[in-house]
Structures are given as structure tokens and as C-alpha cells.
Amino acid sequence: MEKSPGSRPFPEITYCNLGNPQALGQRPITFFREVLSLCDNPALLRRDETRMLFSPCAINRARKIIESMPGRNSGAYTNSQGIRSLREAVASGIAARDGFPSRPEDIFLTDGASSAINLSMQILIRSQEDGVLCPLPEYPLYSASIILHGGTMVPYNLSEDGDWGLEIFEVKRCLEEARIAGLTVRAMVIINPGNPTGQVLSVTNQEEIVEFCRKEGLVMLADEVYQDNVYVEDRKFHSFKKVARSLGYDENDISIVSFHSVSMGFSGECGRRGGYMEICGFGDDVMDEIRKVASVTLCPNIGGQILTSLAMDPPKLGDGCFENFMAEKEDIRLSLAKRAKTLASAFSSLEGMTCNRVEGAIYAFPRIHLPAAAIKAAKAEGMSPDLFYACRLLDATGIAVVPGSGFHQVSGRNKATGTWHIRCTILPGEDKIKVMIPRLKEFHESFMNEFRDRS
């Protein structure tokens, strides 16, 4: 397109393959950016004009954070778990969210949730005989991290017909088969809200999962990075720690590692690489070893640490910037909710395509029933049918999506039923989605007609 302008039938690529909010137009939160700017430039706090450019609550928060930074400088190394006062802010935010205590000693600030997940796998996996239960469709970071550290992924299938819910009998089946095969299953991954599937688990379902993991002695690895992305009235986010504590279980009964980051939600600060994990139910000796492993990378970046503390301890009622902060946050949530509903409805209106509602997270994961001739044409080109569809869609419209096979769908189902999936983010702006949907519908109708006729 750069070499030959006008050579393609579209002016630009619409990146529906990326979970990258600000690259796709999401505006950063003003309070977050003001505090970051002041922390990186503390000399600004001594200038008179700063009071005209920055809100008082941002100035006050920046001063407090600067006082806690080593050497009062955002370029210094910190404690390998993160700055103590920032971990205290995160723990306070968790306690306010859940209604149960959280300790800064249990918080590890990390370079995004990805590094926390990788560290957890490094701690848990000893050999190929160690297994970790993971949902299918999966977020590929998990299988990659398990393989990297020499373990074995034990997949369990989510139920698409049950709104991508988790069925305990299916997890039990997979666990029993893994144990019969000689594996020691040490942990279970749960992604809520779901990626790539967009479901939000019910409390009842979460309680079943907690009881299952407690009974089977499994560490719960709770991926909760989309906790601020919930769009439907009949679903609410509840952390697995809160559910476990509500059932009366404490750290002596069950081990839970929870992950969160500033990449998604209303923050959208992917490139800042900020996140945390809260580790509950591990012995002091194990925690000491985790701290040793964390220290190998010296420390998480300070900008990410600051953002994580701000996301978990944002402006509160009575703060001067509270109303503006809440307005920006709610504008983002309402717009994402509208886009989620619009895209799911558009996909479901297409021939041979169905899409569960997007209850949370930032992706639609529609299922496509492809004509036999399309599957045959894909095979002739050495592609999976969903990749073939995605490439044709990109060439014709400039809309980039991810083939569902990249998320390891239910084994054998695709070939047996002729159904495949694509993952499409809801992040492009409302105006872009309005332009995109007619192009998507036109392409899909043409594609289906072409290969129906061949069949």
C-alpha cells in the first residue's frame, strides 16, 4: 500500500487483531499521565506554572510517590517486588474491591501480567511430568510459558453452547486422564473475563471452581486482567480470592495467584508494562524462593509500578479530579460496551456465522460454518480454513483478524463440523466500526456465494 497508493480496495488496515487500546484510539486517563509526568520530572513541582497545568490531586499524589522512590528518582532500581508504598496502594485497592484484607508482602509488582505469569510457571514447573490445566480456546501465552519451562499443558474445553462457561465435569475428566497418563497436575488456569471468548463467569461457577481446586490440591492461577471490562448488567466481576474467602476458605485452605495489569480496562497502557500478582496460600519458605527468582531481573520498571498503583488506588469521592476521572473512565466503558454489542450483532447476522454476546474483555469470537469448497481451497493453499478466511478478508477489506485455530480449539471439532472461529477485537473506534461492518458484510456474502457455487 505504501509503494503503490490506491492499489488496494481500501485506504488503510483496520487492526482488529490487536489488544492494543491506545494504538487503536483509546485516550489515556488524564490523572494517570499527569502523575507520571510529574514523577519523571520532579523539578516541575517547584515551578509556579505547574499549578496551572496539573490538577492539585495529581500534584499531591506525585509528591507522595516521589518521596517513596529510591533517591527520589524514577530512574533508580527498586526493591525486586516493587516499591513498598506502591504495593501498599495496590493491597489497599484489592481490599476495597473484595472486602477482605490484602497484604503488601503478598504483592509482586511486575512488567505487565505476562512476566508474572511466566514467573509463576517457572516456580511451579519442575519437569515434563508436571501439568497445568488450561482452558481451550486459550490465550497462547500459557501454552508457550508452560512449554518454555519444560512442563505439560493439560487442556480443558470451555462450552461455547453454554456461553463459554466452564463445566466442572469436563475439567475433572481432563484431570483424571492426565493423572492416568502419569502427570502431576499442579495448577489450574482460569481466565475471567475470558480471552479470547469474552465470557464473565457467574459466582456459582466460580464457587464450583474454588471447591474443585481446593479438593484436588491445585494452585489457582486467576488471570483477571480484564476485570474492568464488563459490559452486561447480569454479570459482575468477582475475584477468585473474594469468592474463596466468601466460602470461608483462607490461605491455609487454598493457594491462589491472581494477575492484573494496566494494559486493558480503562487504563489501556499496554506499552507501560505495569501489572501485579497477589500470591496467597504459599508458605514462607516458598515465598522466599519466589523473591529470589524475582530478584534475577532486578526490579519491574518504575513507570509501570506507578501506573499499577494509580489504577488500583485511583481518585476518590471528594478529590478535586474525581469527577473528571470517573467521566473519562465511564466514557471508555460505555463506548466499549456499545462496540461489543454492535460487533457481536453484526457477526451473528451473517450467513453461517454465530457469535456469543461479548460479556467482558475486548474480543468477539464468532464461529463460522464454512462451505466444503472453501475448506478444500484452503487445503490446496496449505492453510487452515480459518486462516484462509482471515487472509481473504484482509485482502478484500483491510480488516485484520486472528484465525481461531491460534487459540487451540476443541480437538477434532473443526474437521467434524466444518466450523471455525476468528477473534476480532472491539477496540477500533465507533466510527471505524461503522465503516468496517458494511465492508465485512459485503465480503462475507461474496465469499459464501463463491464457495457455495463451487460446492
Side-chain angles (χ1 to χ4, degrees):
M1 290 172 67
E2 289 177 356
K3 291 179 179 178
S4 304
S7 61
R8 310 301 299 177
F10 45 84
E12 62 180 1
I13 296 173
T14 304
Y15 292 98
C16 292
N17 58 324
L18 300 173
N20 197 359
Q22 292 185 18
L24 296 174
Q26 182 170 311
R27 295 177 63 84
I29 296 293
T30 302
F31 173 73
F32 292 175
R33 288 299 181 89
E34 287 187 352
V35 174
L36 278 176
S37 178
L38 291 168
C39 288
D40 279 337
N41 301 276
L44 291 174
L45 293 170
R46 297 190 292 271
R47 300 178 64 166
D48 292 338
E49 60 266 34
T50 298
R51 290 193 297 271
M52 302 293 294
L53 298 171
F54 294 85
S55 66
C57 53
I59 292 172
N60 292 336
R61 184 69 67 91
R63 282 202 173 104
K64 181 179 178 181
I65 292 172
I66 290 168
E67 286 297 317
S68 71
M69 294 191 302
R72 298 179 181 177
N73 197 310
S74 63
Y77 285 133
T78 74
N79 181 288
S80 59
Q81 270 186 258
I83 296 170
R84 170 80 187 195
S85 68
L86 302 185
R87 287 187 281 124
E88 289 173 349
V90 171
S92 176
I94 293 171
R97 180 196 68 193
D98 293 345
F100 294 95
S102 176
R103 305 189 317 150
E105 293 81 8
D106 298 332
I107 305 296
F108 286 73
L109 299 179
T110 57
D111 290 328
S114 300
S115 64
I117 292 164
N118 192 55
L119 175 58
S120 298
M121 296 301 178
Q122 187 177 359
I123 293 294
L124 286 166
I125 295 170
R126 301 163 296 184
S127 71
Q128 195 171 359
E129 282 69 49
D130 284 335
V132 178
L133 283 158
C134 292
L136 294 186
E138 65 135 349
Y139 178 45
L141 168 65
Y142 288 99
S143 57
S145 185
I146 291 167
I147 292 168
L148 178 65
H149 294 293
T152 299
M153 175 177 164
V154 180
Y156 64 88
N157 299 309
L158 301 178
S159 172
E160 183 171 11
D161 294 334
D163 295 325
W164 294 116
L166 190 158
E167 297 173 332
I168 289 297
F169 70 83
E170 161 67 9
V171 186
K172 287 181 179 178
R173 178 187 68 79
C174 297
L175 176 63
E176 290 169 4
E177 289 181 358
R179 287 174 172 169
I180 291 170
L183 293 177
T184 300
V185 181
R186 293 173 63 79
M188 177 176 174
V189 174
I190 312 100
I191 306 174
N192 181 50
N195 176 9
T197 44
Q199 84 283 7
V200 179
L201 296 176
S202 68
V203 174
T204 300
N205 203 179
Q206 289 183 270
E207 290 174 343
E208 291 176 330
I209 297 164
V210 169
E211 295 285 7
F212 172 77
C213 288
R214 186 186 67 85
K215 179 181 177 182
E216 300 295 343
L218 301 174
V219 176
M220 294 188 67
L221 300 177
D223 183 331
E224 298 174 340
V225 303
Y226 293 101
Q227 60 187 258
D228 293 309
N229 296 88
V230 179
Y231 310 123
V232 293
E233 292 298 325
D234 59 335
R235 285 283 191 265
K236 303 294 181 185
F237 169 78
H238 300 276
S239 75
F240 272 98
K241 178 187 172 185
K242 175 183 177 180
V243 173
R245 298 293 182 265
S246 298
L247 289 171
Y249 300 131
D250 62 20
E251 60 272 9
N252 296 312
D253 301 307
I254 189 168
S255 299
I256 304 174
V257 184
S258 305
F259 309 106
H260 192 24
S261 84
V262 297
S263 296
M264 302 303 162
F266 58 89
S267 305
E269 298 277 7
C270 300
R272 301 286 179 171
R273 309 313 300 139
Y276 73 80
M277 62 179 176
E278 182 185 28
I279 303 177
C280 301
F282 285 48
D284 291 341
D285 55 341
V286 178
M287 292 296 287
D288 286 341
E289 296 304 315
I290 295 173
R291 292 186 185 99
K292 288 180 185 178
V293 176
S295 71
V296 171
T297 56
L298 299 180
C299 72
N301 78 86
I302 287 188
Q305 292 186 50
I306 292 169
L307 267 174
T308 303
S309 75
L310 298 177
M312 294 304 293
D313 185 23
K316 296 176 175 60
L317 185 64
D319 292 338
C321 56
F322 174 76
E323 290 186 3
N324 185 65
F325 168 79
M326 289 301 296
E328 290 180 344
K329 178 181 176 181
E330 189 65 3
D331 281 349
I332 292 169
R333 190 192 69 82
L334 290 174
S335 180
L336 287 172
K338 182 178 179 180
R339 285 176 261 172
K341 186 175 182 179
T342 298
L343 272 176
S345 177
F347 282 124
S348 293
S349 72
L350 302 178
E351 177 190 355
M353 193 177 288
T354 57
C355 184
N356 287 350
R357 68 176 183 167
V358 181
E359 297 174 342
I362 56 170
Y363 305 105
F365 199 63
R367 178 170 60 185
I368 315 171
H369 187 94
L370 294 171
I375 297 172
K376 184 177 179 181
K379 184 177 180 180
E381 294 194 21
M383 296 181 179
S384 64
D386 54 346
L387 176 58
F388 178 72
Y389 180 91
C391 287
R392 290 285 293 262
L393 175 64
L394 176 62
D395 287 339
T397 67
I399 300 169
V401 297
V402 182
S405 53
F407 304 95
H408 302 126
Q409 295 170 275
V410 179
S411 178
R413 176 172 181 172
N414 297 337
K415 290 183 179 180
T417 63
T419 59
W420 302 79
H421 292 79
I422 58 172
R423 189 189 77 169
C424 178
T425 182
I426 65 172
L427 290 174
E430 292 179 36
D431 291 342
K432 285 196 174 183
I433 287 178
K434 285 180 182 178
V435 172
M436 182 185 90
I437 288 175
R439 285 191 279 144
L440 170 66
K441 290 183 175 180
E442 182 181 0
F443 160 78
H444 186 79
E445 182 179 354
S446 174
F447 180 92
M448 297 298 281
N449 287 339
E450 176 186 350
F451 289 102
R452 187 190 307 106
D453 292 343
R454 291 191 195 181
S455 298

